[in-house]
């Protein structure tokens, strides 16, 4: 079990300081549920609605290039992509320290799983 404590973030362009600066702007979000969840929570805490931003569906590895080219104004991301966005001049507008305990990673396996498949353990 792992709990995100700042690892998931929304990074915006230089000069942006809060989520409210994203009103009407484009935000890259990966295809999975986590990106949508982080964006929804960040917007809600800022008193905003999902339709206040333009969502651009991009996988995490595509976000830094799109950000650098000016195709998106922000991204919902995590490392190593977060670091790349920050190096490109981005600013952290929100991170998961604001929603403690809400993002949890968990791996569950059936007891006979790994033992029954010794090659799968490697």
């Amino acid at each position: 079990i792992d709990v995100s404590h700042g690892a998931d973030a929304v990074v915006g362009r230089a000069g942006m300081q809060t989520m409210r600066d994203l009103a009407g702007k484009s935000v890259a979000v990966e295809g999975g549920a986590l990106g949508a969840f982080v964006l929804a929570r960040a917007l809600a805490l800022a008193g905003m609605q999902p339709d206040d931003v333009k969502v651009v569906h991009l996988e995490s590895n595509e976000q830094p290039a799109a950000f650098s080219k000016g195709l998106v104004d922000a991204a919902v991301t995590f490392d190593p992509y977060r670091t790349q966005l920050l190096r490109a001049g981005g600013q952290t507008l929100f991170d998961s320290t604001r929603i403690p305990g809400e993002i949890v990673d968990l791996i569950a396996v059936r007891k006979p799983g790994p033992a029954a498949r010794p090659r799968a353990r490697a």
Side-chain angles (χ1 to χ4, degrees), residues 11-14 67 84-92:
V11 176
R13 295 223 164 270
F67 187 81
Q84 293 172 22
L85 294 170
L86 294 173
R87 285 184 185 150
Q91 300 290 323
T92 300

Side-chain angles (χ1 to χ4, degrees), residues 40-57:
R41 291 294 288 127
L43 290 170
L45 289 174
M48 298 172 71
Q49 300 294 319
D51 61 354
D52 289 337
V53 299
K54 299 172 190 167
V55 173
V56 177
H57 296 283

Side-chain angles (χ1 to χ4, degrees), residues 4-87:
S4 178
H5 186 74
D8 299 282
V10 179
V11 176
R13 295 223 164 270
M16 292 183 174
Q17 297 179 353
T18 70
M19 288 297 295
R20 289 191 138 318
D21 293 329
L22 289 178
K25 305 288 187 195
S26 59
V27 181
V29 181
E30 66 180 342
L34 179 60
F37 176 77
V38 172
L39 180 60
R41 291 294 288 127
L43 290 170
L45 289 174
M48 298 172 71
Q49 300 294 319
D51 61 354
D52 289 337
V53 299
K54 299 172 190 167
V55 173
V56 177
H57 296 283
L58 288 174
E59 293 308 313
S60 300
N61 64 324
E62 300 171 314
Q63 294 174 354
F67 187 81
S68 294
K69 292 176 183 175
L71 302 176
V72 294
D73 299 299
V76 178
T77 191
F78 50 86
D79 276 323
Y81 311 110
R82 176 184 181 167
T83 299
Q84 293 172 22
L85 294 170
L86 294 173
R87 285 184 185 150

